[in-house]
């Protein structure tokens, strides 16, 4: 399984951005987005299962971010971006179905390379 994240960049606070993750190889059961800010641990952002479970969001992004999928791609639409959203964003894939595991990065064996999102004026 290979994942390729793209779409990051520099945006001003309040603006929007869409990240995309291209997925190839074996079909996975669930996809997720995580992020890691400098000096901080990697944080769960959003996830969804390919069978329609979810979506599931981290508390800090709920209501502002939306995860979706279209064939071999999945997306993270981000609106109302804040400086604290600045981080490297990673897409990840797993064979897990249980939503309890989707919040935990250790249950994702496949990862993309990350894309930088910087929110600054």
């Amino acid at each position: 399984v290979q994942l390729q994240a793209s779409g990051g960049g520099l945006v001003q606070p309040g603006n929007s951005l869409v990240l995309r993750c291209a997925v190839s190889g074996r079909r996975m059961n669930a996809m997720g987005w995580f992020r890691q800010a400098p000096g901080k641990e990697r944080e769960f952002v959003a996830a969804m299962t390919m069978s329609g479970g979810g979506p599931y969001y981290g508390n800090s992004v709920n209501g502002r971010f939306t995860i979706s999928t279209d064939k071999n791609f999945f997306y993270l639409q981000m609106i109302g971006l804040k400086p604290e959203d600045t981080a490297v964003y990673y897409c990840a894939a797993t064979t897990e179905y249980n939503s309890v595991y989707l919040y935990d990065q250790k249950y994702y064996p496949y990862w993309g390379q990350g894309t930088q999102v910087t929110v600054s004026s």
Side-chain angles (χ1 to χ4, degrees):
V1 177
Q2 292 187 327
L3 295 87
Q4 181 77 29
S6 61
L10 172 64
V11 296
Q12 293 186 339
N15 281 4
S16 303
L17 203 60
V18 179
L19 304 183
R20 187 179 81 168
C21 184
V23 185
S24 61
R26 185 164 61 103
R27 180 177 174 82
M28 294 286 103
N29 294 333
M31 307 293 187
W33 287 96
F34 291 78
R35 68 184 182 185
Q36 188 166 20
K40 295 187 176 182
E41 295 186 352
R42 193 171 296 185
E43 174 190 22
F44 170 77
V45 175
M48 63 182 297
T49 72
M50 298 300 100
S51 60
Y56 312 99
Y57 296 101
N59 291 336
S60 61
V61 306
N62 200 10
R64 299 187 298 121
F65 290 11
T66 303
I67 186 172
S68 62
T69 184
D70 179 16
K71 295 181 180 179
N72 295 326
F73 298 93
F74 68 108
Y75 304 90
L76 185 68
Q77 181 180 9
M78 306 182 291
I79 65 172
L81 283 163
K82 306 175 182 179
E84 52 263 42
D85 293 318
T86 295
V88 177
Y89 283 71
Y90 298 89
C91 55
T94 178
T95 55
E96 288 290 345
Y97 280 107
N98 193 323
S99 62
V100 172
Y101 302 129
L102 298 184
Y103 294 84
D104 192 334
Q105 60 176 311
K106 71 183 179 186
Y107 292 104
Y108 290 82
Y110 307 102
W111 291 82
Q113 84 288 2
T115 184
Q116 176 71 48
V117 173
T118 302
V119 185
S120 175
S121 55

